[in-house]
Amino acid sequence: MATLFTEPPKPPSLTRPMATPKKALVVFEILKKDYPNPRTELVFEDPFQLLIAVILSAQCTDARVNSVTPGLFAQYPTAEKLSNASAPVVEKLIHSCGFYKNKTKAIIQTAKSLVERFEGKVPGTMDELVSLAGVGRKTASVILNQAFDLPAIAVDTHVARVSFRLGWTQSKNPLKIEQDLKKLLPEDLWALVNGTLILHGRKICKARKPLCADCRIAKQCPSAPKTKL
Ligand code: SF4
């Protein structure tokens, strides 16, 4: 008698051989030379400005954010001022960043949280940062790195993709990827990981067609020369 249910075919394995800390370090040292200044391109003068700029940068280029933040911060230079802002005025100021209604709500709410719970200052720990409205682990890691010079690894789409292809992680979950990267690379490099992998991901290890022939770490990469992600 025929069975009603059959096992679905197993998907092809998407895993890569996992790198060792030693091998990952060799690769990262090459990337560090190729991308010597991997800091954020967002322009900011203090942690508050960076936090707001990072929230605005969702689905938007850093250059575009940099074009609106001077006007925004001229009018609302502190969390206290922004927490009392009129939404239509803020919407007009940040309009060109896209999703301006949601982003306006998010930055005013974040400013309110800062005023209500942190005396208007941006806190300097992961737990406090992620407790703020509109702040996830990725944004918090960027703030810790760039505003406070603390070790953290922000995992975005480029970091996830490049790490996976390099065999630095076998996960697609940002928190697990962050944990895998922290086990592989020494703490003094964590602050460089996000910027370095973003630059490599944008320039060489592109999402659709990675330029493996031009990649200086192809010899060490388990996904070269053919990559399917
Ligand atoms: S060899 Fe290809 S897949 Fe590997 S890191 Fe370089 S561009 Fe990406």
Side-chain angles (χ1 to χ4, degrees):
M1 189 175 147
T3 53
L4 287 174
F5 301 104
T6 53
E7 282 287 316
K10 286 197 173 143
S13 172
L14 292 175
T15 58
R16 307 279 186 277
M18 277 295 277
T20 61
K22 204 170 156 192
K23 284 185 179 166
L25 192 57
V26 169
V27 167
F28 200 78
E29 289 299 332
I30 298 170
L31 292 176
K32 246 173 74 183
K33 285 188 190 127
D34 285 356
Y35 310 105
N37 188 22
R39 289 187 72 81
T40 177
E41 287 171 14
L42 293 170
V43 177
F44 63 97
E45 288 177 4
D46 54 37
F48 166 69
Q49 291 192 359
L50 179 61
L51 176 56
I52 300 304
V54 173
I55 295 172
L56 293 179
S57 71
Q59 312 284 319
C60 179
T61 64
D62 290 353
R64 176 74 69 186
V65 174
N66 291 340
S67 73
V68 308
T69 46
L72 180 69
F73 296 138
Q75 206 148 331
Y76 306 110
T78 62
E80 184 152 26
K81 291 236 159 85
L82 186 58
S83 69
N84 290 314
S86 139
V89 175
V90 175
E91 284 175 5
K92 210 169 173 187
L93 284 165
I94 68 160
H95 188 272
S96 62
C97 282
F99 303 102
Y100 62 94
K101 281 188 184 285
N102 284 344
K103 287 182 181 177
T104 294
K105 271 188 212 146
I107 62 175
I108 292 177
Q109 190 51 49
T110 301
K112 281 187 174 145
S113 309
L114 290 176
V115 172
E116 284 162 12
R117 297 177 32 225
F118 299 103
E119 297 175 347
K121 302 270 179 273
V122 176
T125 69
M126 174 63 82
D127 286 348
E128 289 170 319
L129 282 164
V130 296
S131 76
L132 293 167
V135 177
R137 205 171 167 87
K138 183 178 76 172
T139 298
S141 295
V142 173
I143 305 302
L144 291 175
N145 275 171
Q146 309 278 324
F148 295 110
D149 271 332
L150 291 171
I153 299 179
V155 176
D156 73 351
T157 179
H158 296 291
V159 174
R161 181 179 73 254
V162 177
S163 299
F164 186 84
R165 286 173 175 171
L166 283 170
W168 289 3
T169 185
Q170 297 198 336
S171 178
K172 300 285 177 84
N173 174 288
L175 179 58
K176 177 73 171 72
I177 295 170
E178 181 189 325
Q179 290 164 344
D180 287 342
L181 296 180
K182 284 180 172 173
K183 277 188 219 146
L184 272 183
L185 295 165
E187 192 173 306
D188 61 334
L189 293 178
W190 292 358
L192 302 176
V193 172
N194 173 268
T196 302
L197 296 192
I198 284 179
L199 290 172
H200 190 61
R202 280 188 187 147
K203 199 174 158 205
I204 304 286
C205 195
K206 296 171 186 259
R208 287 196 165 194
K209 280 194 180 174
L211 307 177
C212 299
D214 299 327
C215 182
R216 294 220 309 129
I217 52 174
K219 269 193 194 159
Q220 291 88 356
C221 178
S223 302
K226 271 196 173 176
T227 303
K228 281 183 186 170
L229 194 58

